[in-house]
Amino acid sequence: MANKFVATILVFLVSLLTLAGIVTATSTPEPLNVTFDKVEINDVEVTDDTVFDVERGETVEVRVTFTAVNSTSNVKLKAWLEGYEYDDIEAKTDLFDVKKGVTYTKKLELEIPIDANLNTVDTYDLRIEISDHESDIEYTDNEIDFRIRGQRHK
């Protein structure tokens, strides 16, 4: 009878350890990993360090194409211009999921403020980042700068 009791306890422990291993394996998400394939500003592909000339009040389209190296959930893409005196000029996507090997294209629109100060900063740096709740990956292939100018009087 003692042998049956010991055998039952051993089967229970082995089952418990197996179940714990399965739960751990399925609940640990892979870290975010993507490769940037292409960035376009107003339909112009960024190929080298680039300065884009934009006007105050203009809406600038930023299109980012990337490929997921692994599957991850709750991902967002953000683009922002640093240097605006009141805050960053930014746009971001809603949360989305990515699947391993799939290429995605996301479009963001940056609204250039009408009151962007033209005298304090020569250019504004555009930053692009993909992130999840644990990590972020910044686009660093090329430097992208914006020169903001005033609108011509009519």
Side-chain angles (χ1 to χ4, degrees):
M1 183 133 152
N3 287 339
K4 278 187 171 182
F5 179 72
V6 170
T8 303
I9 293 295
L10 284 175
V11 169
F12 174 74
L13 288 176
V14 168
S15 299
L16 187 62
L17 290 174
T18 302
L19 181 61
I22 291 170
V23 168
T24 301
T26 59
S27 65
T28 305
E30 293 184 73
L32 176 65
N33 193 358
V34 300
T35 57
F36 288 96
D37 300 318
K38 180 169 51 170
V39 173
E40 296 173 285
I41 308 296
N42 290 340
D43 297 321
V44 175
E45 185 174 350
V46 175
T47 56
D48 294 314
D49 293 351
T50 308
V51 177
F52 288 91
D53 189 52
V54 297
E55 289 186 359
R56 291 187 292 186
E58 182 178 345
T59 299
V60 176
E61 182 181 281
V62 178
R63 188 180 304 266
V64 180
T65 302
F66 61 94
T67 302
V69 176
N70 59 14
S71 297
T72 308
S73 59
N74 297 322
V75 176
K76 72 177 171 184
L77 174 70
K78 176 183 172 184
W80 72 99
L81 290 173
E82 293 181 328
Y84 177 54
E85 64 183 309
Y86 298 112
D87 202 359
D88 290 336
I89 301 166
E90 72 174 35
K92 59 186 170 186
T93 64
D94 291 331
L95 294 176
F96 58 95
D97 297 339
V98 296
K99 301 291 181 204
K100 180 179 181 176
V102 176
T103 299
Y104 299 86
T105 299
K106 298 290 183 179
K107 181 179 88 168
L108 299 169
E109 292 184 343
L110 292 172
E111 302 287 334
I112 306 301
I114 199 73
D115 65 347
N117 192 338
L118 306 178
N119 299 323
T120 58
V121 177
D122 185 34
T123 58
Y124 294 84
D125 295 330
L126 177 67
R127 310 289 294 272
I128 299 170
E129 176 183 272
I130 296 178
S131 61
D132 65 4
H133 62 282
E134 292 184 12
S135 58
D136 55 78
I137 300 171
E138 189 166 345
Y139 173 80
T140 57
D141 293 351
N142 300 293
E143 188 172 303
I144 307 169
D145 292 325
F146 281 37
R147 183 175 299 119
I148 299 175
R149 59 183 162 76
Q151 295 176 335
R152 289 185 163 260
H153 297 287
K154 295 182 181 186

